[in-house]
Amino acid sequence: MAGRPQANRRPSAWGRLKSLPTDPLEIMGLPSKGDNRLLDYKTQESYYNKIVERYMKFCASIGGDLLDKVFASLALSSTTNGSHASNEGKESTTGLSTGIPAELATIMMAMRKLREAIFASRRVDGFAQRAYIFIIRAAILTNHMESYYPAMLHLLNYIHPLQPLPAAELHEFVGYYILDLACRQGDFAAAYAVRNRYQFKDRRVEMVMAALVHDNWCVFWRMRRAVDGYQKRLMEWAEDGLRVHALKCLGRTYLTVEKAYVERVADRGWDDLKRHDRVGWELDGDSVIVRRAKAKGK
């Protein structure tokens, strides 16, 4: 008698399906991917409250100087200055870095979902204004240009004309816009045009712009210590370029210079200059040998 055929022990298709997310921030999908649940105004407001609650709990759980390092751990986009998103509808779909805390990544993605929903539903009211302000501030702290830049343009160019921002908030976000143009994009003409358009006056922002125009690293480092946390984050986009310029000036000017002076000019410790900036100069005690004088031929 023939034996019974062996049962197919391969896992069923149902067994291979991923479990549905249970996190209230992950349940919702991106409107740009076809999930329309967040287009409802009441749902948007409920979702926003959950985001704010989780964000505040996350900040409280870290606290202190460590929180600043966690925000900075969000990897900068590989998008170059010339290929940034020009409006809300053209935002890059670049994902978040995998090297950051999962909770922060979840919160940032939830902010993107909410922002897409507000934009797609063409909502322009006090809630849309409040949500965008919160999202832009959080995205600036994480240096996530793909999140804050298109949102900033939408807030200033679309929401503000229909739902005017209070004077203090308008001044704040125009200042951020100007700093982004000057520090990240290096577009000084556009930065000054925005300043003139909004009749913006802020001594610290104007000194940062002047420092960049004139490659004045002394003023730039001094102003970085004078501005608030959001402005400081935006200034970080220009730091590496200005630091390299300062080091090149030292290299063309000195044969030997004091180590303390190099650290002050670069606004960075010697070990970090060697490790991060790959400075090849030699250290001799408290002095730095920038280059050696060529022996004159007889």
Side-chain angles (χ1 to χ4, degrees):
M1 183 175 178
R4 293 183 179 179
Q6 294 292 327
N8 189 351
R9 297 183 179 277
R10 290 181 301 173
S12 65
W14 293 104
R16 294 195 300 269
L17 292 177
K18 295 181 179 179
S19 59
L20 295 175
T22 57
D23 189 317
L25 297 186
E26 295 181 342
I27 290 175
M28 298 295 181
L30 288 165
S32 60
K33 302 299 182 180
D35 191 328
N36 296 325
R37 288 175 292 174
L38 274 176
L39 299 185
D40 178 74
Y41 283 9
K42 292 294 183 181
T43 306
Q44 289 176 7
E45 293 169 13
S46 175
Y47 196 64
Y48 169 78
N49 290 333
K50 293 174 184 176
I51 293 173
V52 173
E53 181 182 1
R54 289 277 288 275
Y55 179 79
M56 298 307 293
K57 285 183 178 179
F58 174 79
C59 293
S61 67
I62 304 297
D65 296 334
L66 183 58
L67 181 61
D68 187 67
K69 295 179 181 179
V70 171
F71 280 141
S73 69
L74 184 59
L76 298 180
S77 167
S78 59
T79 304
T80 60
N81 291 349
S83 60
H84 58 266
S86 59
N87 56 53
E88 182 74 8
K90 297 182 180 178
E91 181 190 356
S92 168
T93 56
T94 302
L96 299 180
S97 170
T98 58
I100 65 172
E103 178 70 355
L104 179 57
T106 299
I107 294 170
M108 293 298 295
M109 180 55 70
M111 290 180 184
R112 177 184 168 183
K113 295 173 185 177
L114 177 61
R115 182 164 51 83
E116 281 193 9
I118 294 173
F119 176 77
S121 62
R122 301 183 183 277
R123 185 170 186 175
V124 182
D125 57 10
F127 169 77
Q129 188 183 91
R130 185 169 67 255
Y132 264 72
I133 286 174
F134 173 76
I135 290 169
I136 292 169
R137 286 170 176 166
I140 287 176
L141 288 178
T142 59
N143 252 348
H144 201 249
M145 176 272 295
E146 291 89 341
S147 294
Y148 75 71
Y149 185 70
M152 194 183 304
L153 293 182
H154 187 69
L155 177 66
L156 293 175
N157 297 334
Y158 185 72
I159 295 179
H160 172 62
L162 300 175
Q163 181 76 23
L165 288 162
E169 278 72 20
L170 178 62
H171 183 273
E172 175 187 355
F173 287 96
V174 170
Y176 296 160
Y177 186 22
I178 292 173
L179 285 177
D180 183 79
L181 288 168
C183 297
R184 181 178 65 84
Q185 304 180 48
D187 193 343
F188 302 119
Y192 280 106
V194 171
R195 184 196 66 172
N196 295 337
R197 186 199 316 164
Y198 289 96
Q199 298 182 341
F200 179 83
K201 294 182 180 180
D202 188 297
R203 177 178 171 273
R204 291 177 297 182
V205 172
E206 292 183 359
M207 287 187 69
V208 171
M209 293 171 62
L212 290 172
V213 170
H214 297 288
D215 292 323
N216 189 334
W217 61 82
C218 295
V219 172
F220 186 85
W221 302 139
R222 186 169 70 248
M223 294 313 302
R224 195 186 62 167
R225 290 186 284 270
V227 299
D228 62 34
Y230 300 104
Q231 294 172 325
K232 181 179 178 181
R233 276 280 185 239
L234 292 168
M235 289 177 66
E236 287 178 1
W237 292 99
E239 285 185 14
D240 288 343
L242 202 61
R243 182 174 291 111
V244 169
H245 174 73
L247 293 172
K248 285 182 177 179
C249 289
L250 291 181
R252 289 192 296 263
T253 306
Y254 296 97
L255 295 176
T256 304
V257 64
E258 293 181 356
K259 172 188 164 187
Y261 182 69
V262 174
E263 293 177 331
R264 188 163 64 252
V265 166
D267 199 49
R268 178 170 282 179
W270 176 253
D271 291 338
D272 288 334
L273 286 173
K274 295 284 287 186
R275 181 169 55 253
H276 297 297
D277 300 282
R278 299 182 179 180
V279 173
W281 300 337
E282 300 177 26
L283 184 63
D284 184 13
D286 292 331
S287 298
V288 175
I289 300 175
V290 178
R291 52 196 170 96
R292 298 183 183 276
K294 297 181 179 179
K296 295 182 179 180
K298 295 182 180 180

